[in-house]
Amino acid sequence: MMGRQRKRVVMGEAASLPRKDEKPTVFHRKEKKKKVDMGKVFINISIGLCISSLIWFFYALHMRSVLSKRVATLHSSPPVLDANSSSAKVSPERFWGSYRPQVYFGMKTRSPRSIVTGMMWMRQFSDFDMNLRHTCEQGDHLQGYGWLMHDGMTFGVQEIRDNNFTLTTEFVKRMGGDNGGDWTWRITAKQHSSAPHPPVISLMFYAAADTQGSLQAHVEERNRLASITGFSEELGNFKITFRKPVTGELSSAKYASYNYLQTVSTGLEKLTDIVKHSLNRRFVYSPPTGEKRHYIAVDTYKPPHHQSQQKPADTRKEGDFVVHQVTVQTPFQIEVLFESGSFHSRPNQLVGSIMTQELEKRKAEFDAKFEKTFGLESKGFSQAHIKFAKAALSNMLGGMGYFYGQSLVQSVYNEYPLLYPEGALFTAVPSRSFFPRGFLWDEGFHQLLLSKWDPQVTREAIAHWIDLMNMEGWIPREQILGDEARSKVPGEFIVQRNENANPPTLFLALQELTEQLSLNPDKAASQPTLPFLRRLFPRLKTWFEWYNTTQTGPLPNSYRWRGRDKDTNLFLNPKTLTSGLDDYPRASHPSAEERHVDLHCWMALSSGIMASIAQLLGEPHEDYKLSHDALSDNNLVNKLYWSEQLRAFSDFGNHTENVSLMREKVYVPPGQPRHQFPVARLVRSVRKNPKPQFVNAFGYVSLFPFLLHVLQPDSPKLEHILKDMRDSNKLWTPYGLRSLSKTDPLYMRRNTEHDAPYWRGPIWININYLAVRALHHYSKTEGPYKEKAAALHEELRTNIINNVYREYVETGYVWEQYNDSTGRGQGSHPFTGWSALTVLMMAEQY
């Protein structure tokens, strides 16, 4: 039966096949056509898919190209500053200045390719052949240097204490003409009482054209450079005159030896090396009394032999470089005079007694303004304390720099870094020796002090920073503009990445400006603030929105810093440089699930200030107010960040405390020499798997709801914070609040074998300022902890002032941070960035 059925099937199939001489039936023709149609459909679909894929491919390429350009495309709204806002015609009183914070003494204009002037020096007949001083270097081991008085505009007095002698550098400006007026320098050299013999010193005054303008040397008496004349577009014609050294203002000329160098340079960062490679010992110093001795002086520039062999040719445009060297025995005084060719009604030269009179007048004005602004004398501070406070303010003003150039930036859409558009930056710097450039989160703190002294400086500095914003609303957090600035930065820190933020501290300075305006709307210094804010606002909105979209956290109204170190193998706790608190302990294993309490509080503060500014300008402010109210909701803050285990505010993330640094094992086969194998590194050992939890590190980050006034004055959490702050086993020291509790497992622990603890114990003045400010706020606000806050305010304020002052007197410097065990200054110095906020604590101005 089965066989037949199979046969019948086969026969049936055979019967269905048409013979050659038969015409296909209608049914078969339709079947064939259907197959052909299906084939065409399939081919058409395939072609369509190919075309779609190509379209998507080219669209993706196009979008990647578009997205890759966004990082280096400036914001489209009109700049806050007009193109010529820093020019001699618009702002003549600020055109020339000590805007070269990276050198011990020098001046330039606020223009992209300024003629720069400066001074180098070296001691002759010393134990060290090469002790040339020029750029501020901690390795020079000076006993101290810094501005004692500087008004940020018209004059400055600086003291530089080298070994066995002190140089006092003074300058005074005089307005007139169309190119920023005249100025005079006076350098006074005195030996220390401990010096066995009066030192012989060579001062080297120079002028350099940064690719623009020309300089001509005018030589008298064989080797003495009497003057330099020059021309540039910004300055017109000008003359720099080098007066002969005298023993004092009214004294006769002293014996001196003279030398000069006239050459070219392809970059300002090369000036020191050019001078070093032009020095020669063939010259003879022969005073009327005393022995003749060979001394070192500039001669002819000879590039080092290895340089031309190994390095590619420098293709940058050359600029004139002229050096005047005068070698003279202490004590002496020398004046250098700059005269603008457009200054037609000059009554007398700004030298000698005329300069002294002008200088004394400016000093008296400075003293009067300082007392009017800060009132330290009326608060009972000693003259020594007031002198220190004047120096701290003056160093910040004297550390203002004007930079011009291009940042190197990168986004996830760029395979290689791009050059950012050229831009200018007028900014204070944290440290003239170690950080002589702009840092975004530092600048907000800087301007808290400077806005009290001169609100116009603050408006201009903020405007420069905001004008560097790209179309996304991102501002590169570290500004390394120009070859001179770049020469001081390690390569790994040069490229700025557009997902990385920095605390938006400029809002603190904007808050100060708006409060000044509200309190004194008729005061002349405050009146430009309203039009300034109006021009600023479109960019400010984008900046705020950038934080709100790029730094959001995993839960609604939570935030997370991007840019944490990704190599978890090498770091005990991967750094969060973007937060400003570098190695402060965060979640041990970086992830997208982190919540950062400090960033949340910065956003609460910023949204409130945005609401105030918008309302002041008559702009829609309701959304900012809603955002501020939501982020400041203490129930939300407690829910997201309060750790019951720690009884404190804390970050949340993928975390374990069971980590340590251990020396890795390197296998060396028997009989093989050990030096042929890699050096054993310190690497991280994780002894217990991480899990989502609170980080439970008590320190500065735990204080942020208090520091930025997010906590309500009746919050029970405030009581915990005040109690823990005052605990000497946690944050309290006789010198200020330490950055991390002594009880924390990472307290004073290295992060790698090369990274010493940075924010893991030492005392930082910016956060201590915020703490003193917050204590003052809660002491003036009704609540159950008002009296406790008042007592802590007085105690903490006194401790910080006393320690920073004591260290300044003992060491000659204000420091980057202070040791939490001894109070000793440590880190970069001088650090008259945010450490100068000590002045505001003295004045009790918050």
Side-chain angles (χ1 to χ4, degrees):
M1 183 69 179
M2 287 295 292
R4 282 186 205 145
Q5 284 181 337
R6 279 200 297 272
K7 188 174 181 183
R8 243 194 329 267
V9 170
V10 171
M11 284 174 65
E13 285 175 355
S16 69
L17 291 172
R19 295 199 306 269
K20 287 184 182 179
D21 56 343
E22 277 185 352
K23 289 186 179 179
T25 63
V26 173
F27 174 77
H28 286 122
R29 285 202 300 273
K30 285 182 178 177
E31 194 69 23
K32 190 173 180 182
K33 187 176 180 184
K34 191 175 179 183
K35 288 181 180 176
V36 171
D37 289 346
M38 287 300 292
K40 285 182 178 177
V41 168
F42 179 75
I43 291 168
N44 288 339
I45 290 172
S46 300
I47 292 170
L49 286 172
C50 288
I51 291 170
S52 299
S53 299
L54 284 170
I55 289 170
W56 274 109
F57 174 73
F58 286 113
Y59 177 74
L61 281 180
H62 169 72
M63 286 308 297
R64 187 174 181 85
S65 173
V66 169
L67 291 169
S68 70
K69 292 174 184 173
R70 288 172 65 88
V71 67
T73 302
L74 292 178
H75 197 276
S76 58
S77 66
V80 185
L81 293 166
D82 291 326
N84 62 348
S85 62
S86 298
S87 68
K89 285 186 171 59
V90 176
S91 183
E93 69 284 353
R94 297 184 200 273
F95 188 56
W96 274 105
S98 53
Y99 304 135
R100 304 183 65 209
Q102 70 277 19
V103 299
Y104 288 114
F105 188 51
M107 286 175 66
K108 62 172 289 188
T109 64
R110 293 203 303 174
S111 53
R113 297 281 180 259
S114 171
I115 298 284
V116 303
T117 57
M119 182 185 79
M120 307 182 196
W121 77 91
M122 63 189 298
R123 182 175 176 182
Q124 298 287 351
F125 321 125
S126 70
D127 297 334
F128 305 100
D129 280 351
M130 184 56 64
N131 58 80
L132 185 68
R133 319 288 204 205
H134 179 215
T135 56
C136 301
E137 305 290 347
Q138 290 179 180
D140 286 343
H141 303 296
L142 299 185
Q143 294 175 21
Y145 68 93
W147 297 97
L148 301 178
M149 304 175 89
H150 197 305
D151 67 353
M153 197 147 57
T154 66
F155 90 105
V157 178
Q158 180 181 221
E159 190 174 85
I160 302 169
R161 285 183 286 129
D162 206 333
N163 302 312
N164 292 328
F165 64 92
T166 293
L167 297 175
T168 303
T169 68
E170 301 168 302
F171 78 89
V172 176
K173 287 160 58 180
R174 179 196 269 173
M175 291 298 97
D178 303 321
N179 303 95
D182 297 350
W183 50 256
T184 299
W185 293 353
R186 176 181 288 167
I187 316 300
T188 306
K190 292 180 180 177
Q191 74 189 77
H192 294 169
S193 56
S194 58
H197 307 289
V200 175
I201 301 167
S202 288
L203 299 185
M204 300 172 185
F205 300 102
Y206 67 82
D210 187 8
T211 71
Q212 272 188 23
S214 58
L215 303 170
Q216 293 83 40
H218 299 272
V219 181
E220 296 177 0
E221 306 161 21
R222 290 195 316 148
N223 277 342
R224 190 176 85 82
L225 184 67
S227 64
I228 298 171
T229 56
F231 173 83
S232 76
E233 286 181 31
E234 292 91 0
L235 296 174
N237 292 303
F238 61 87
K239 182 180 182 182
I240 302 173
T241 304
F242 303 105
R243 289 165 63 86
K244 290 183 176 180
V246 294
T247 48
E249 184 189 304
L250 303 174
S251 309
S252 56
K254 288 197 68 167
Y255 170 80
S257 292
Y258 298 98
N259 304 83
Y260 76 96
L261 172 67
Q262 185 169 18
T263 184
V264 292
S265 167
T266 54
L268 299 179
E269 80 282 4
K270 295 179 177 292
L271 301 186
T272 306
D273 284 340
I274 289 173
V275 168
K276 282 182 179 178
H277 291 118
S278 66
L279 295 175
N280 197 314
R281 196 186 283 275
R282 68 184 179 87
F283 303 100
V284 177
Y285 181 77
S286 52
T289 57
E291 60 175 318
K292 294 182 180 182
R293 289 185 285 180
H294 284 277
Y295 72 98
I296 302 169
V298 291
D299 193 2
T300 305
Y301 173 53
K302 296 175 182 175
H305 182 61
H306 66 84
Q307 183 176 307
S308 57
Q309 287 183 337
Q310 293 179 0
K311 291 187 179 179
D314 196 331
T315 57
R316 290 176 295 174
K317 186 180 176 184
E318 293 178 335
D320 292 335
F321 178 39
V322 183
V323 182
H324 164 65
Q325 177 174 336
V326 52
T327 302
V328 60
Q329 189 177 60
T330 57
F332 65 85
Q333 190 175 89
I334 297 178
E335 291 176 348
V336 178
L337 173 65
F338 174 92
E339 293 176 302
S340 168
S342 63
F343 202 139
H344 296 300
S345 56
R346 188 178 289 112
N348 40 45
Q349 284 194 315
L350 190 60
V351 294
S353 59
I354 302 295
M355 182 193 176
T356 301
Q357 290 170 21
E358 197 64 33
L359 198 56
E360 292 306 314
K361 178 185 164 192
R362 304 289 169 84
K363 286 179 181 178
E365 290 170 351
F366 176 86
D367 288 339
K369 182 179 178 180
F370 188 88
E371 179 57 26
K372 184 180 177 183
T373 305
F374 300 110
L376 300 191
E377 206 168 322
S378 64
K379 283 185 172 293
F381 281 101
S382 69
Q383 285 304 308
H385 275 84
I386 294 171
K387 185 180 178 183
F388 151 73
K390 287 176 180 174
L393 169 70
S394 297
N395 269 307
M396 190 182 282
L397 286 163
M400 293 291 292
Y402 185 87
F403 306 95
Y404 189 85
Q406 295 175 277
S407 292
L408 271 175
V409 300
Q410 193 168 9
S411 77
V412 293
Y413 302 105
N414 304 112
E415 190 176 352
Y416 301 105
L418 301 177
L419 278 172
Y420 208 62
E422 284 190 324
L425 182 62
F426 179 54
T427 185
V429 303
S431 169
R432 290 171 61 191
S433 61
F434 208 74
F435 302 112
R437 53 192 178 277
F439 288 80
L440 181 55
W441 97 292
D442 293 65
E443 192 61 11
F445 288 110
H446 299 159
Q447 295 307 326
L448 281 173
L449 175 59
L450 296 184
S451 60
K452 303 285 190 184
W453 177 256
D454 186 351
Q456 182 58 23
V457 167
T458 299
R459 286 188 289 265
E460 291 197 24
I462 291 175
H464 274 92
W465 273 99
I466 296 294
D467 276 346
L468 290 171
M469 179 186 297
N470 78 354
M471 66 185 295
E472 300 163 320
W474 172 68
I475 302 172
R477 67 188 182 88
E478 187 172 346
Q479 292 291 333
I480 310 162
L481 303 179
D483 296 320
E484 193 173 18
R486 201 166 289 156
S487 67
K488 299 274 282 186
V489 184
E492 65 266 28
F493 297 115
I494 288 177
V495 178
Q496 305 293 300
R497 289 174 171 80
N498 74 331
E499 68 270 21
N500 293 348
N502 227 192
T505 56
L506 292 183
F507 279 108
L508 290 170
L510 288 169
Q511 184 180 40
E512 172 62 28
L513 288 177
T514 53
E515 286 178 2
Q516 286 180 8
L517 179 63
S518 301
L519 292 171
N520 299 292
D522 299 324
K523 194 175 178 182
S526 298
Q527 285 180 349
T529 295
L530 198 60
F532 159 74
L533 290 173
R534 205 171 293 287
R535 293 193 66 155
L536 187 77
F537 195 64
R539 289 169 178 260
L540 206 58
K541 286 194 297 184
T542 312
W543 194 41
F544 177 79
E545 218 33 63
W546 179 84
Y547 279 91
N548 247 338
T549 52
T550 66
Q551 308 296 304
T552 51
L555 298 179
N557 291 322
S558 69
Y559 292 89
R560 173 174 69 88
W561 294 110
R562 305 307 196 261
R564 291 197 65 192
D565 280 323
K566 294 179 174 63
D567 190 347
T568 55
N569 188 42
L570 292 178
F571 297 100
L572 182 62
N573 187 274
K575 295 196 298 292
T576 315
L577 294 173
T578 49
S579 72
L581 306 179
D582 296 17
D583 66 344
Y584 185 94
R586 307 277 182 172
S588 62
H589 290 67
S591 72
E593 300 309 306
E594 287 180 77
R595 308 195 294 264
H596 295 138
V597 61
D598 52 336
L599 181 52
H600 181 108
C601 295
W602 282 119
M603 295 310 297
L605 172 90
S606 304
S607 56
I609 296 167
M610 282 297 294
S612 299
I613 293 172
Q615 195 165 11
L616 188 66
L617 297 175
E619 297 280 349
H621 68 281
E622 293 80 8
D623 286 349
Y624 299 119
K625 180 72 168 63
L626 286 171
S627 180
H628 175 68
D629 290 345
L631 295 176
S632 303
D633 180 358
N634 281 202
N635 290 328
L636 173 72
V637 175
N638 295 342
K639 179 183 172 185
L640 291 176
Y641 304 108
W642 182 260
S643 166
E644 281 298 335
Q645 179 187 336
L646 186 67
R647 306 290 289 166
F649 290 106
S650 172
D651 288 341
F652 186 92
N654 195 29
H655 181 66
T656 176
E657 290 183 1
N658 297 89
V659 295
S660 60
L661 291 177
M662 298 183 68
R663 190 70 62 182
E664 66 181 346
K665 294 176 181 177
V666 177
Y667 174 69
V668 180
Q672 295 292 320
R674 176 67 184 85
H675 68 270
Q676 291 182 359
F677 292 84
V679 176
R681 302 174 303 169
L682 270 182
V683 293
R684 184 166 84 161
S685 169
V686 180
R687 298 184 303 279
K688 187 176 180 181
N689 287 335
K691 64 179 182 180
Q693 61 177 320
F694 285 108
V695 176
N696 288 337
F698 184 72
Y700 284 169
V701 163
S702 315
L703 303 182
F704 264 85
F706 154 76
L707 296 176
L708 298 183
H709 312 173
V710 174
L711 282 184
Q712 293 297 320
D714 59 353
S715 168
K717 306 293 190 278
L718 182 57
E719 183 180 20
H720 285 289
I721 285 180
L722 298 181
K723 178 171 169 287
D724 287 342
M725 261 175 53
R726 187 57 187 84
D727 187 339
S728 55
N729 286 321
K730 293 183 178 177
L731 301 189
W732 192 267
T733 80
Y735 322 110
L737 299 177
R738 61 171 62 90
S739 43
L740 187 63
S741 169
K742 284 181 80 172
T743 62
D744 192 89
L746 295 190
Y747 169 71
M748 292 308 291
R749 293 277 300 278
R750 300 184 73 86
N751 206 36
T752 71
E753 58 185 316
H754 306 296
D755 285 357
Y758 202 44
W759 291 83
R760 295 184 181 177
I763 296 162
W764 292 83
I765 300 303
N766 62 329
I767 303 298
N768 273 270
Y769 168 79
L770 290 179
V772 170
R773 174 178 174 264
L775 288 167
H776 182 266
H777 166 75
Y778 287 109
S779 73
K780 300 297 181 186
T781 310
E782 285 304 321
Y785 316 112
K786 182 178 176 180
E787 291 181 6
K788 177 69 172 173
L792 283 177
H793 167 264
E794 192 52 42
E795 198 176 359
L796 181 59
R797 171 179 170 266
T798 302
N799 287 352
I800 296 164
I801 292 167
N802 288 347
N803 189 63
V804 175
Y805 169 72
R806 188 194 77 227
E807 283 300 290
Y808 176 76
V809 171
E810 289 188 10
T811 67
Y813 294 107
V814 175
W815 294 78
E816 180 183 18
Q817 51 177 224
Y818 294 85
N819 187 287
D820 67 310
S821 299
T822 64
R824 297 294 178 203
Q826 58 190 32
S828 304
H829 58 281
F831 195 93
T832 35
W834 59 43
S835 293
L837 289 172
T838 308
V839 178
L840 289 184
M841 289 185 261
M842 294 171 78
E844 293 186 87
Q845 294 186 8
Y846 311 114

